[in-house]
Amino acid sequence: MSYIEGYLLFLRTEKKLGDATIESYYLDLESFLCFIDKDILSISRDDVVEYISFLRKSMCARSVNRHISSLKGFYGYLLDEGYIVQSPLEFISVLKVPKSLPKYLSVSEVEKLLDFPLVTHFDYRNKAMLEVMYATGLRVSELVKLEYSNVDLHNSIIRVTGKGKKTRVIPIGEIAGYYLNLYVNEYRNKLLGKNNFNELFLNNHGKPITRQGFNFILENIRVSTGIEKEITPHVLRHSFATHLLEGGADLRSIQEMLGHENISTTNIYTEVVDDVLRENYDLYHPRAREE
């Protein structure tokens, strides 16, 4: 246990990891050592392979990879400290994780989500937020930080500061522009009151909407409109990108609007659209399947 205690101390003092993360590493190591039941320094590559095979019977690839990462870190520490001359994890690779495609809403589901009654000024604020998010593909962090001074209603564009403090300009369509203009001119000042915030979207105290506040609003609207599918801010962002690509937009333009640094990140949406095309082909083509 002295090796493990030394490693945990290293994680706390040198790596500055938190208690929860350190506890996770400890549990992974404890599970491994209980299974192998050998002295730490005598464990071989074959022992590690046997343990990984055992884990794969009850865990997904991501969880197994977390255990492998924990062991690599531990034995890397033992190697650096001179306790061992070769790590049993040296030639162990992580498992290939099946690529999961982004979850998104269909066009009809988006229309259903956005079709809620507008009665109070909060409703108009919520309508403007959701329309803007779907029209621009903003991250929720970008939406709640969007400043009033960065909205150009005359030219139907917004200026957003995203990851890495990079600024991008995104057009907004007529519908989002209409409800945003309505919110700004008719309802924002009622929420703002005597406060002096530059953020565009405000809560019932006249302060900027938080991420948690937006998530709460989105979930309430989902429930009220009867949509059973889980909807998160990122699902709306994925829906924006997928629907643009389905409509014929080029990938580079979508990359710019999403604020992706690399085109490879945006490229995942081509696979989503490919799946949709395949489903439509199988469903509608008269010779897609044998009878």
Side-chain angles (χ1 to χ4, degrees):
M1 288 297 294
S2 61
Y3 297 115
I4 295 179
E5 290 169 357
Y7 178 56
L8 298 181
L9 181 62
F10 166 77
L11 294 179
R12 186 180 305 279
T13 58
E14 298 295 325
K15 293 293 188 179
K16 307 296 184 183
L17 299 184
D19 291 341
T21 304
I22 293 172
E23 176 71 9
S24 178
Y25 276 112
Y26 172 73
L27 293 175
D28 288 348
L29 292 174
E30 184 181 48
S31 172
F32 173 65
L33 295 174
C34 286
F35 178 83
I36 299 299
D37 196 23
K38 273 187 177 182
D39 180 77
I40 288 175
L41 304 185
S42 66
I43 289 173
S44 67
R45 181 182 183 278
D46 289 341
D47 294 324
V48 175
V49 170
E50 182 183 358
Y51 180 62
I52 292 173
S53 297
F54 165 73
L55 293 179
R56 293 186 68 175
K57 295 177 182 176
S58 58
M59 290 184 180
C60 67
R62 290 185 188 276
S63 297
V64 174
N65 285 344
R66 195 201 72 230
H67 281 264
I68 293 174
S69 177
S70 296
L71 294 177
K72 280 181 177 286
F74 176 59
Y75 277 98
Y77 161 79
L78 295 181
L79 192 63
D80 290 342
E81 294 295 316
Y83 295 124
I84 56 176
V85 295
Q86 185 177 18
S87 169
L89 278 292
E90 184 175 354
F91 299 106
I92 299 292
S93 300
V94 295
L95 305 182
K96 185 175 181 180
V97 178
K99 183 161 52 178
S100 57
L101 297 178
K103 295 179 180 178
Y104 67 99
L105 303 176
S106 66
V107 173
S108 61
E109 286 172 329
V110 171
E111 290 175 347
K112 186 176 181 180
L113 177 71
L114 297 177
D115 186 24
F116 56 89
L118 302 179
V119 180
T120 69
H121 44 289
F122 299 116
D123 294 329
Y124 282 94
R125 176 206 60 194
N126 297 345
K127 176 71 170 175
M129 284 196 300
L130 264 64
E131 289 285 359
V132 167
M133 177 164 270
Y134 175 61
T136 61
L138 293 184
R139 301 176 178 94
V140 65
S141 58
E142 296 169 340
L143 181 79
V144 299
K145 291 178 182 177
L146 182 62
E147 296 188 348
Y148 174 71
S149 56
N150 287 330
V151 176
D152 184 345
L153 291 171
H154 177 72
N155 293 303
S156 298
I157 58 173
I158 58 175
R159 189 177 302 275
V160 180
T161 301
K163 289 186 176 180
K165 296 186 177 180
K166 292 183 179 179
T167 301
R168 65 189 192 275
V169 176
I170 311 173
I172 53 177
E174 288 186 8
I175 296 176
Y178 171 79
Y179 285 105
L180 184 55
N181 187 69
L182 191 60
Y183 164 71
V184 167
N185 290 309
E186 299 290 336
Y187 299 102
R188 184 176 182 274
N189 284 339
K190 294 179 181 178
L191 291 171
L192 186 63
K194 296 180 180 180
N195 294 318
N196 188 30
F197 293 103
N198 195 36
E199 283 82 0
L200 181 62
F201 295 112
L202 308 171
N203 63 20
N204 59 327
H205 299 293
K207 298 179 180 179
I209 286 278
T210 63
R211 294 174 58 136
Q212 293 81 4
F214 178 81
N215 289 336
F216 180 77
I217 291 167
L218 179 59
E219 176 61 13
N220 281 345
I221 293 174
R222 181 196 69 81
V223 172
S224 70
T225 53
I227 298 176
E228 296 183 359
K229 185 181 292 185
E230 179 187 16
I231 304 176
T232 65
H234 233 61
V235 168
L236 285 179
R237 180 170 160 87
H238 293 323
S239 303
F240 160 81
T242 303
H243 297 166
L244 273 180
L245 197 59
E246 286 178 339
D250 68 278
L251 207 58
R252 186 67 66 180
S253 297
I254 296 173
Q255 177 195 3
E256 290 293 326
M257 286 185 280
L258 289 174
H260 287 161
E261 186 172 345
N262 298 312
I263 192 70
S264 58
T265 307
T266 318
N267 202 53
I268 187 67
Y269 294 107
T270 62
E271 298 188 34
V272 174
V273 175
D274 286 346
D275 279 357
V276 173
L277 293 175
R278 169 58 64 183
E279 289 173 6
N280 285 333
Y281 179 87
D282 288 342
L283 186 61
Y284 298 116
H285 196 282
R287 299 181 67 83
R289 298 179 302 275
E290 288 188 41
E291 296 298 333

